[in-house]
């Protein structure tokens, strides 16, 4: 029976030049090696993906893209197509809150992007999350689930099974206010519940769910026992090689200690 694996993905956002990411990759390759029990990926900027893929060849680290065009090809000045990314990346983030909130991407666009990604045999990381206002109005669950349903609309049950959903509360991104693991676990369980009702038990069992938002090496530990959280999507802390390697290590450690044992 297929089983979910643990995944930690670094989102470098628009923070590094090509030479800077080359330096970071060199350091990460040294720190993240050996017999890894989980999947690790980094999402550099588009301009860096080509060289990063050469630098990470034969390493334990995969590559993701931070975004993709909805259309496959054509007159879309400034966009990057799934065809251009094919062969270089394994994962593609779609609907990151910065894309939704700064660049006005709506659920329909995100759904189109997710479909484009899966049809080209890459894994979409479909990001959802509520704003601070929505959280204060106790709308977290309803906002996240309605974003998710609309963003997955064009995927089949099988495609959803092979996708990743990232719960990234907007109020936790880049703020230092990490969501409590119990709170994130509750939303992750709701996400899995929605997938079950829309796509069936198998899809719900297989889909991977990540948490993202101000994760550090210290807080990564707290998420590893959350039943419905399979991984982490890390922004700021992934720009520091020691910190990111420590996140990977802390999140990957295996079994929950027995009660009463420290
Ligand atoms: P931070 O880890 O910097 O809060 O960013 C999270 C994020 O947006 C990852 O996609």
């Amino acid at each position: 029976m297929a089983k979910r694996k643990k995944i930690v993905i670094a989102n470098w956002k628009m923070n590094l030049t090509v030479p800077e990411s080359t330096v970071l990759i060199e350091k990460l390759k040294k720190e993240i090696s050996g017999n890894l029990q989980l999947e690790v990926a980094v999402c550099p900027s588009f301009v860096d993906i080509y060289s990063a893929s050469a630098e990470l060849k034969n390493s334990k680290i995969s590559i993701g893209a931070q975004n993709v065009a909805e259309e496959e090809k054509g007159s879309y000045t400034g966009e990057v197509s799934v065809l251009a990314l094919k062969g270089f990346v394994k994962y593609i983030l779609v609907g990151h809150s910065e894309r939704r909130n700064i660049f006005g991407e709506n659920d329909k666009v995100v759904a189109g992007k997710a479909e484009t990604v899966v049809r080209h045999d890459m894994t979409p990381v479909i990001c959802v999350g509520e704003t601070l206002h929505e959280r204060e109005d106790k709308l977290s669950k309803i906002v996240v689930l309605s974003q998710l349903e609309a963003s997955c609309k064009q995927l089949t049950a099988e495609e959803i099974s092979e996708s990743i959903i990232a719960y990234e509360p907007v109020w936790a991104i880049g703020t230092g206010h990490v969501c409590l693991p119990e709170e994130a676990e509750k939303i992750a369980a709701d996400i899995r519940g929605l997938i079950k009702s829309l796509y069936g038990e198998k899809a719900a069992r297989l889909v991977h769910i990540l948490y993202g938002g101000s994760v550090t090496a210290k807080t990564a530990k707290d998420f590893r026992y959350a039943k419905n959280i399979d991984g982490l999507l890390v922004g700021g802390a992934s720009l520091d090689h020691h910190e990111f390697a420590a996140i990977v290590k802390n999140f990957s450690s295996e079994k929950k200690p027995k009660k009463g044992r420290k």
Side-chain angles (χ1 to χ4, degrees):
M1 196 178 16
K3 220 175 143 234
R4 300 197 303 270
K5 56 190 174 192
K6 289 188 169 192
I7 306 172
V8 177
I9 301 180
N11 178 6
W12 290 346
K13 307 193 180 184
M14 201 181 73
N15 286 305
L16 300 175
T17 62
V18 174
E20 283 166 347
S21 52
T22 298
V23 171
L24 180 54
I25 283 171
E26 274 318 301
K27 291 178 175 165
L28 287 177
K29 279 201 299 192
K30 285 192 191 116
E31 298 216 26
I32 300 174
S33 58
N35 193 13
L36 272 191
Q37 299 298 317
L38 80 178
E39 170 85 6
V40 178
V42 296
C43 301
S45 63
F46 283 133
V47 75
D48 190 38
I49 284 176
Y50 188 71
S51 52
S53 88
E55 289 157 3
L56 287 170
K57 217 174 174 175
N58 303 322
S59 81
K60 302 274 180 187
I61 304 171
S62 307
I63 300 186
Q66 298 174 18
N67 187 23
V68 68
E70 191 181 346
E71 307 295 336
E72 279 183 5
K73 203 179 173 104
S75 303
Y76 300 99
T77 302
E79 291 290 286
V80 175
S81 78
V82 73
L83 295 173
L85 295 170
K86 208 168 180 165
F88 297 105
V89 307
K90 183 168 178 184
Y91 303 102
I92 302 186
L93 309 187
V94 296
H96 189 280
S97 70
E98 285 147 21
R99 299 299 318 168
R100 292 177 186 265
N101 300 329
I102 305 172
F103 299 98
E105 289 185 11
N106 58 26
D107 291 331
K108 190 167 171 290
V109 169
V110 178
K113 292 185 175 196
E115 181 185 4
T116 304
V117 173
V118 296
R119 300 286 141 87
H120 285 275
D121 304 319
M122 284 167 269
T123 303
V125 181
I126 303 164
C127 305
V128 290
E130 81 285 5
T131 62
L132 182 58
H133 279 308
E134 290 162 342
R135 179 176 190 245
E136 285 169 350
D137 290 343
K138 310 225 173 315
L139 294 172
S140 304
K141 177 175 170 181
I142 198 160
V143 168
V144 166
L145 296 190
S146 73
Q147 272 179 4
L148 180 65
E149 181 167 2
S151 303
C152 296
K153 235 189 179 119
Q154 286 156 231
L155 305 186
T156 64
E158 197 172 323
E159 288 166 344
I160 267 287
S161 309
E162 289 166 9
S163 298
I164 298 176
I165 295 160
Y167 170 54
E168 294 208 298
V170 179
W171 52 268
I173 295 179
T175 58
H177 299 303
V178 66
C179 182
L180 288 173
E182 308 86 71
E183 201 180 326
E185 165 59 24
K186 212 155 169 272
I187 296 276
D190 292 333
I191 289 174
R192 217 174 278 290
L194 178 72
I195 297 298
K196 184 174 175 187
S197 69
L198 294 174
Y199 297 94
E201 197 276 323
K202 187 174 174 205
R205 180 164 40 83
L206 293 179
V207 68
H208 285 79
I209 301 174
L210 313 185
Y211 166 77
S214 294
V215 172
T216 59
K218 194 159 173 268
T219 54
K221 279 195 193 100
D222 303 333
F223 289 94
R224 74 190 155 178
Y225 303 129
K227 213 167 91 209
N228 285 290
I229 297 176
D230 307 302
L232 302 170
L233 183 51
V234 187
S238 69
L239 298 167
D240 179 303
H241 62 105
H242 287 313
E243 186 74 9
F244 186 63
I247 288 172
V248 170
K249 181 168 167 275
N250 290 351
F251 186 71
S252 68
S253 51
E254 273 307 306
K255 289 199 194 94
K256 189 170 186 162
K258 290 232 167 66
K259 274 205 177 104
R261 247 192 254 168
K262 282 269 161 202

